[in-house]
Amino acid sequence: MFAYIIRRLLLIIPTLFGIMLINFTVIQFAPGGPVEQLVAQMRGTATDATAAFSGQQGDLQSTGGGEQSEGLASGSKYRGAQGLDPAIIIEIEKQFGFDKPMHVRFFTMIKNYLRFDFGESYFRDQSVLDLVLDKMPVSISLGLWTTLFVYIISIPLGIKKAVSDGSRFDVWSSGAIVVGYAVPGFLFGILLIIVFSGGRYLDWFPLRGLTSSGFDQMSWGEKIVDYFWHIALPVGAMVISGFASLTMLTKNSFLDQINMQYVQTARAKGLGERQVLYGHVFRNAMLIVIAGFPAAFIGILFTGSMLIEVIFSLDGLGLLGWEAVIKRDYPVVFGTLFFFTLLGMILQLIGDVMYHVVDPRIDFESRNF
């Protein structure tokens, strides 16, 4: 098992390199990069200044000078750069590092990443590492609580559905599961805001943030209550949309084991149904459920939480990544991608190790990975 873990850890390096390379290449061709973002801001500022100047000076305008200015950067490769001095564009490119070829920028980024230097945000006066470490507790908090409640609900529900397969309970619960699977979590979040957060009916829960304004002055008991009061709606929205897949996975896994020969043998020996279910079936059926924990956590943490963080104004990694993509803040985009990918692969490896811990008969050493 130790040799398998070492091989998987070594495999992380080329996998991470390939993912970063593909995403870096794709993003370079996306319109509206950081240079264009800054150019748009400069032109907006220039437009406001010109309007103010015109209001003070009446009808005095220099038409010829404007035409000359428009021609300064008419051949620029950036949208909206017409009318700006090419020297300014060159200075902006140098500021963002775009004066260098794409492959040079990529390998410089990788070399810096090997030294855990993730650069500075283009539009925030803060390093990427500090930003990620500052936002990570919010996202991990949401992900852990959501995953915990999803497992607490899904495993007993899946077992109950497997035991009572085809019954009225199984049919009605399957209908609820289909609804939960089909409706995105952010729609449930909006519904919860409308109903419970002062949208139209009740005003029981806060609309934004993870804590109240006077959180630091509260006692420990008040802090705990305030914290759960704030995360109740976002975690509830994520749990409603996240329990469906795990419930059906648990049910199908138990149904598959219940029909095995060893279960019939245990029943023939006179063992009770509860003893057969939890003494023999549970361990084998839970293998696939336990192994799916890392994937479930990653899906909840980095996929399901993004829009939830935006809707509930929770300052986590999802909201940080969203704003970075909108603003084309490439160091933050690639920094969060690096953390997401690395954590995902490590958790996947942990899932494989958990397979072996739950059932030592599973031997990864004999397989070629």
Side-chain angles (χ1 to χ4, degrees), residues 209-369:
L210 201 60
T211 57
S212 299
S213 56
F215 185 78
D216 294 334
Q217 286 73 40
M218 296 180 182
S219 64
W220 280 106
E222 291 173 336
K223 287 182 178 180
I224 294 174
V225 173
D226 183 75
Y227 170 73
F228 282 104
W229 183 47
H230 280 77
I231 69 169
L233 292 189
V235 169
M238 294 170 66
V239 168
I240 291 173
S241 62
F243 81 99
S245 298
L246 185 60
T247 299
M248 296 308 299
L249 178 65
T250 304
K251 176 190 174 182
N252 293 333
S253 179
F254 269 79
L255 281 177
D256 182 60
Q257 293 297 320
I258 288 173
N259 295 324
M260 291 288 184
Q261 183 65 40
Y262 75 90
V263 175
Q264 299 178 13
T265 303
R267 287 171 176 166
K269 290 181 178 180
L271 295 179
E273 193 65 25
R274 189 178 184 85
Q275 189 175 359
V276 171
L277 182 63
Y278 291 102
H280 294 75
V281 175
F282 185 82
R283 180 178 180 179
N284 294 324
M286 287 302 294
L287 276 175
I288 190 171
V289 177
I290 293 175
F293 176 83
F297 179 73
I298 286 293
I300 291 171
L301 181 59
F302 300 134
T303 304
S305 67
M306 185 184 74
L307 290 177
I308 294 296
E309 288 181 12
V310 173
I311 292 171
F312 289 93
S313 299
L314 300 174
D315 198 13
L317 286 176
L319 184 60
L320 176 66
W322 170 270
E323 293 177 347
V325 171
I326 296 299
K327 295 179 179 179
R328 301 297 193 271
D329 196 345
Y330 289 164
V332 177
V333 171
F334 292 125
T336 52
L337 174 66
F338 181 86
F339 279 100
F340 291 170
T341 307
L342 181 61
L343 184 59
M345 289 189 289
I346 291 175
L347 286 176
Q348 193 61 51
L349 175 59
I350 292 174
D352 290 344
V353 174
M354 290 173 68
Y355 256 127
H356 181 74
V357 172
V358 174
D359 190 350
R361 295 173 298 175
I362 298 177
D363 183 17
F364 291 102
E365 294 289 351
S366 60
R367 304 186 183 188
N368 296 320
F369 287 97

